[in-house]
Amino acid sequence: MLRTRNRHDRALLTYVANPESRAVTWFKRVLARTLAAARQLRRTHSGGLRWAVRVVIGTTGTAAIIVALVLFMGLYHVYFDRTNLPDIKPFARFEFPAIGHIYDNNGQPLIELAKEHRQIMQYGDIPPIVRDAILAAEDKNFFSHNGVDYSRVPRVLSKVRVGALLTRITRLGQQDEADSLAMLRQGGSTISQQLVRAYFLRNLTDGENSNELRPGVLSYVIGARSAKKLVRKLEEIRLSLWMERQMRERFGSKRRAKEEILARYASFLYMGDGQYGFAAAAEHYFGRPLASFTVADADKAALLAGIAKSPRVYAPSAADVEKILHRRNQILGLMVKRGFVSRDNARVAELHPILVVAPSKDNMPQAPAVIESVLRELRSGDTELSVQHLLLGRIQVYSTVDTRVQHIV
């Protein structure tokens, strides 16, 4: 339940959220009368022009009031509303799910366990060529903005389908068609916004593409999909500005905060094929540690950076190789444009085929009886630790078994 400070706030909230409110009923009545009058205009010529001018002026004024009100509420929510903020502490402490291991007494892994197959990386662990590929592909102004890159706004607005929006208005309150997204077809999200969306806003993102009509003026006017995406985008902007401010306060400077955010981005994102983060993806797809990447691996860095847009389409295991190559080479071109790699190096990288290592067939755990003993002890309740800690990679277990002796037995 949302709480508001005064009756003005409650009135604004009612205006947007309640489809049966007087405001929505009034808006629907005005629009219905306007459409009915427009149909009448087609059936008569007498005095039609003067009447049409009056209708347009009246309708335009009404629309301007609605737009101004919605804009005011959106700006207030993004820049001044500090209610219902998530807990920043787990994010700031880098408490992402990672890989848990059970080792023998020589430090050899007996088994890997994870809910999300992820390797946590610090900023310094990310090779420069990979950082450059990420920035070129996703956010060239990452180190200068405060979470939102306002220079992208004109490009986002240019992608608004005005015709589809007008058509939607004439179909007020009806179910949306399949390709009904009239607004925000061009995302324009920064690295910070993408991270906020993946980490804090999973609930809003789930079901976003549904055309089911939901309560509220926005759903009636611009359609369910556009309304849900707009609400999520506003929350994404609000939390991105808040997150960057919190990280600056915790790490002492904008530069350090940015480095920490980029490390979390490179560690958190889903990279396809059950892999999370760039380090796990590099070993899974290429059979190499990410830390070993150099300028000579610009093709691999660009390919990994391209996955974030859509793992289902651009992961190396996807079926459409042409799309993957196009995306990779597109990012290489952006890296040249930003001065991250030379044109000659990019040309060489563009000629490299996509070579993915075969998945390992040696996935059998070592010493299963020992592993079961460890899991039983964690389940016993005799310790504050649990199997859940192991599955999230919060702990690593070192046993006393010797794998070499196990093989002999």
Side-chain angles (χ1 to χ4, degrees), residues 162-175:
V162 178
L165 192 58
L166 293 176
T167 301
R168 167 65 215 177
I169 292 176
T170 64
R171 299 176 62 251
L172 184 67
Q174 299 180 29
Q175 188 78 5

Side-chain angles (χ1 to χ4, degrees), residues 60-128:
T60 303
T62 301
I65 292 172
I66 294 172
V67 170
L69 184 59
V70 171
L71 181 62
F72 166 77
M73 293 177 64
L75 291 175
Y76 173 83
H77 179 68
V78 168
Y79 293 103
F80 301 103
D81 185 5
R82 294 296 174 262
T83 60
N84 300 320
L85 291 171
D87 185 6
I88 192 69
K89 293 177 183 176
F91 178 86
R93 290 196 296 259
F94 223 152
E95 293 180 358
F96 295 174
I99 303 171
H101 297 84
I102 299 177
Y103 296 97
D104 75 352
N105 65 347
N106 298 309
Q108 297 300 311
L110 301 176
I111 193 172
E112 290 184 350
L113 297 169
K115 285 190 172 182
E116 297 179 359
H117 199 269
R118 172 185 289 109
Q119 296 180 28
I120 301 297
M121 291 182 297
Q122 301 298 329
Y123 178 79
D125 299 331
I126 309 172

Side-chain angles (χ1 to χ4, degrees), residues 233-259:
K233 180 63 71 173
L234 289 175
E235 190 66 5
E236 185 182 293
I237 293 172
R238 179 175 87 117
L239 293 185
S240 295
L241 296 170
W242 162 79
M243 177 193 71
E244 292 228 358
R245 184 166 55 252
Q246 291 289 314
M247 295 295 279
R248 286 196 300 272
E249 291 176 1
R250 289 172 181 271
F251 291 97
S253 70
K254 181 174 182 176
R255 177 72 191 192
R256 281 283 294 114
K258 289 289 188 178
E259 291 176 354

Side-chain angles (χ1 to χ4, degrees), residues 162-268:
V162 178
L165 192 58
L166 293 176
T167 301
R168 167 65 215 177
I169 292 176
T170 64
R171 299 176 62 251
L172 184 67
Q174 299 180 29
Q175 188 78 5
D176 288 344
E177 296 175 351
D179 188 22
S180 59
L181 189 60
M183 301 176 63
L184 300 171
R185 298 178 70 87
Q186 179 77 35
S189 296
T190 62
I191 284 173
S192 299
Q193 288 174 255
Q194 292 178 48
L195 186 53
V196 160
R197 180 167 65 242
Y199 187 83
F200 293 112
L201 298 178
R202 288 185 179 182
N203 291 337
L204 277 181
T205 305
D206 291 344
E208 187 176 279
N209 290 324
S210 168
N211 282 327
E212 179 184 353
L213 194 65
R214 290 191 175 183
V217 169
L218 286 177
S219 290
Y220 280 96
V221 177
I222 65 177
R225 288 183 64 203
S226 294
K228 285 185 282 188
K229 193 162 187 177
L230 180 59
V231 168
R232 191 263 300 159
K233 180 63 71 173
L234 289 175
E235 190 66 5
E236 185 182 293
I237 293 172
R238 179 175 87 117
L239 293 185
S240 295
L241 296 170
W242 162 79
M243 177 193 71
E244 292 228 358
R245 184 166 55 252
Q246 291 289 314
M247 295 295 279
R248 286 196 300 272
E249 291 176 1
R250 289 172 181 271
F251 291 97
S253 70
K254 181 174 182 176
R255 177 72 191 192
R256 281 283 294 114
K258 289 289 188 178
E259 291 176 354
E260 293 292 332
I261 292 170
L262 187 60
R264 284 155 179 74
Y265 176 87
S267 297
F268 189 77

